[in-house]
Amino acid sequence: NAGVTQTPKFQVLKTGQSMTLQCAQDMNHEYMSWYRQDPGMGLRLIHYSVGAGITDQGEVPNGYNVSRSTTEDFPLRLLSAAPSQTSVYFCASGLINTGELFFGEGSRLTVL
Amino acid sequence: KNEVEQSPQNLTAQEGEFITINCSYSVGISALHWLQQHPGGGIVSLFMLSSGKKKHGRLIATINIQEKHSSLHITASHPRDSAVYICAVETSGSRLTFGEGTQLTVNP
């Protein structure tokens, strides 16, 4: 098992550019989610999914899109990057109601 | 006021000390998670609790649903326990809300 694979690990964008953060898991987990982590604010939920074809908004969804066409993949799209989206992003997956969450290694995004 | 409050924000201990980190929350929850974030940034899941107490090695987590409070205890602390410990509450629909974390430093 590779666990949760997040790519890229680092990315620099200019304001207005678009990009996709990839997240894949090979553990057949129903639950997948994206978080951003900013200094002094802790982790905040962006979007999450409880199964293929199902997505829902978290605490800070504006400026981000997601889709869940397969169980394995949950990409996060920034359609028009803004400096306020400079952050470290984490993807996580897990089996619903069993507790353990598995996190990716994180992606550091800088928007200039 | 945040839905999830952790205390203390920072904690420095000497090797061998017993450590307690607290988490209070203000909403109804289906479960509470404790996570550990290593100095390199990686995050691992330690516990999920919906009631009572769980133990794994030197780590113990407790939750009091009526008082909306959870504690994470580390017995016989070691420098390798130095990390950020994060409390997160799970509400309906599997939504997670996180505390800001407690930075623990254990000195040899």
Side-chain angles (χ1 to χ4, degrees):
Chain A
N1 282 352
V4 179
T5 302
Q6 238 184 281
T7 57
K9 288 187 171 49
F10 300 94
Q11 183 73 48
V12 179
L13 291 176
K14 294 181 180 177
T15 297
Q17 286 186 316
S18 63
M19 77 155 299
T20 299
L21 294 173
Q22 302 289 348
C23 179
Q25 52 89 11
D26 60 358
M27 297 171 281
N28 204 30
H29 288 163
E30 310 111 323
Y31 180 81
M32 295 187 75
S33 50
W34 277 103
Y35 308 90
R36 58 179 289 173
Q37 187 174 39
D38 302 294
M41 299 195 72
L43 288 155
R44 291 183 290 170
L45 178 64
I46 304 171
H47 285 285
Y48 66 105
S49 169
V50 296
I54 305 168
T55 63
D56 211 341
Q57 295 182 348
E59 183 183 351
V60 288
N62 292 340
Y64 307 95
N65 283 348
V66 292
S67 60
R68 185 92 181 269
S69 56
T70 67
T71 299
E72 294 78 18
D73 300 297
F74 191 47
L76 179 72
R77 297 184 185 85
L78 286 70
L79 297 179
S80 179
S84 60
Q85 294 178 305
T86 294
S87 189
V88 180
Y89 292 84
F90 289 93
C91 176
S93 74
L95 290 170
I96 294 171
N97 297 326
T98 63
E100 188 169 9
L101 290 170
F102 295 81
F103 283 80
E105 293 181 352
S107 300
R108 183 174 294 274
L109 174 66
T110 301
V111 183
L112 302 175
Chain B
K1 187 174 174 8
N2 292 338
E3 290 182 351
V4 182
E5 297 277 355
Q6 281 186 241
S7 62
Q9 284 189 319
N10 295 283
L11 181 56
T12 300
Q14 289 301 119
E15 184 172 357
E17 287 185 0
F18 181 84
I19 288 162
T20 297
I21 298 169
N22 296 300
C23 177
S24 296
Y25 53 93
S26 58
V27 295
I29 68 169
S30 55
L32 184 142
H33 298 255
W34 282 102
L35 310 170
Q36 180 192 54
Q37 186 166 25
H38 299 298
I43 300 173
V44 296
S45 178
L46 298 175
F47 296 103
M48 184 193 80
L49 297 160
S50 53
S51 64
K53 176 179 175 178
K54 286 190 176 179
K55 183 175 189 290
H56 185 256
R58 294 179 296 105
L59 300 178
I60 303 165
T62 63
I63 188 168
N64 185 318
I65 296 293
Q66 286 72 31
E67 294 185 3
K68 293 186 165 60
H69 182 267
S70 176
S71 293
L72 177 69
H73 305 287
I74 304 175
T75 62
S77 60
H78 190 276
R80 65 176 175 264
D81 297 326
S82 297
V84 176
Y85 292 84
I86 302 168
C87 169
V89 298
E90 184 174 338
T91 55
S92 60
S94 300
R95 292 173 63 99
L96 288 178
T97 304
F98 296 80
E100 291 186 17
T102 295
Q103 173 70 63
L104 172 64
T105 303
V106 182
N107 294 319

